[in-house]
Structures are given as C-alpha cells and as structure tokens.
C-alpha cells in the first residue's frame, strides 16, 4: 500500500527538511510553492496607511509518495526538521495512493517506486 504525504511547511525550513529526509533514505519527492492560511486566517500587518490583512501566506508544499510502512518515520522527520513551536508551522495530510506508473518503463507499484539507496533498499542490505 502506498500513501502520499503532503506537508505544508515554512519556506525557510525546506532545506532542513530535504536534508533530514535524505538522511533516512527518502529519495522521490516534489515541491511546489503554495499560498494559504490555517486557523488564524492570515496575519495583520502595520503599514503607513494603517493596518491591513494578508490572508494568503506563502508556504512550501512537499509531496512524497511512499510505502505505508515508512509513513510514520517520515512524518516524524518532517516535524523534527520544520517545527519552530510558533503559530504557522504548517500541516501534514496523508492520503491513500491508488497506483504508481513510471512512464519510461511502464513499471507499476513497488517497482516504480524503488530507488538505489532508498529507505527500503537499505533495509534489504542489512538483512542480507
Ligand atoms: N484545511 C486545510 N486545507 C488545505 N490547506 C491547509 C488547511 N489548513 C492549513 N492549510 C495550509 O497549511 C498552511 C499552514 O497553516 P498553519 O500553519 O497556519 O496551520 P494552523 O492549523 O493554523 O496551525 P497554527 O495554529 O500553528 O498556525 C496554510 O498556509 C495553508 O497553506
Ligand atoms: Mg495558523
């Protein structure tokens, strides 16, 4: 079973999170710039002509499709690397994934998601 982790984090935490994920062997991922708000609905700023509200704040969205058994470890790493304990640290969603198809080879599922040196191939090396 595959899951998709969608982590919406502070832009300035992206490098730390990428590094932390590389350490545990999470290789395939993609990133996009998003704007949004959570509970507070944005922030109020003080400008020259008074206060104004910025309701959509920039964040980075990190998408990772991975085996279900690696989800908890990956979530913990993301939290560890991105948390500041201040309001606006972000949010993580986890979705089920139906299938994965690597376009060049036609591989599906697990084959399509295997990378040299990734979290699962490391485990197999330890076993051998
Ligand atoms: N329900 C949601 N659906 C989609 N995206 C969301 C949702 N809630 C938050 N986001 C996204 O997550 C980002 C981070 O939100 P934020 O960190 O402010 O969450 P929060 O729940 O308000 O937590 P905190 O109390 O720490 O601020 C938002 O800018 C937005 O992009
Ligand atoms: Mg918030």
């Amino acid at each position: 079973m595959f899951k998709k982790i969608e982590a919406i984090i502070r832009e300035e935490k992206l490098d730390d999170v990428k590094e932390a994920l590389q350490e545990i062997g999470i290789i395939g991922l993609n990133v996009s710039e998003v704007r949004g708000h959570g509970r507070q609905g944005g922030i109020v700023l003080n400008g020259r002509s008074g206060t104004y509200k910025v309701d959509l704040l920039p964040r980075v969205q990190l998408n990772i499709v991975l085996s279900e058994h690696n989800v908890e470890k990956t979530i913990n790493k993301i939290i560890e690397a991105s948390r500041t304990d201040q309001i606006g640290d972000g949010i993580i969603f986890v979705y089920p994934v139906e299938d994965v198809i690597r376009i060049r080879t036609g591989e599906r599922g697990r084959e399509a998601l295997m990378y040299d040196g990734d979290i699962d191939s490391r485990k197999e090396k330890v076993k051998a």
Side-chain angles (χ1 to χ4, degrees), residues 78-89:
I78 294 171
I79 293 173
E80 204 183 291
S82 63
R83 189 175 196 165
T84 68
D85 289 323
Q86 304 298 308
I87 275 173
D89 270 354

Side-chain angles (χ1 to χ4, degrees), residues 1-2 5 14 22 27-28 37 43 61 66 74-75 80 83 91 93 95:
M1 283 293 266
F2 303 107
I5 296 176
L14 178 61
Q22 203 159 4
I27 293 179
H37 60 71
I43 51 169
Q61 179 178 320
L66 74 181
T74 304
I75 288 174
E80 204 183 291
R83 189 175 196 165
I91 196 159
F93 301 112
Y95 307 87

Side-chain angles (χ1 to χ4, degrees), residues 110 114 119-128:
R110 193 170 137 72
M114 288 200 297
I119 189 167
D120 286 325
S121 67
R122 288 182 196 180
K123 270 182 220 152
E124 272 153 33
K125 247 189 217 150
V126 172
K127 262 189 256 160

Side-chain angles (χ1 to χ4, degrees), residues 16-63:
D16 289 349
V17 172
K18 273 195 305 189
E19 209 169 290
L21 292 177
Q22 203 159 4
E23 267 168 32
I24 61 165
I26 295 297
I27 293 179
L29 55 81
N30 76 74
V31 167
S32 49
E33 288 168 22
V34 297
R35 294 196 306 148
H37 60 71
R39 232 172 281 185
Q40 294 76 21
I43 51 169
V44 175
L45 294 174
N46 293 303
R48 247 176 299 174
S49 52
T51 63
Y52 61 101
K53 187 163 182 177
V54 180
D55 69 336
L56 296 173
L57 297 168
R59 288 286 182 273
V60 163
Q61 179 178 320
L62 191 68
N63 297 305

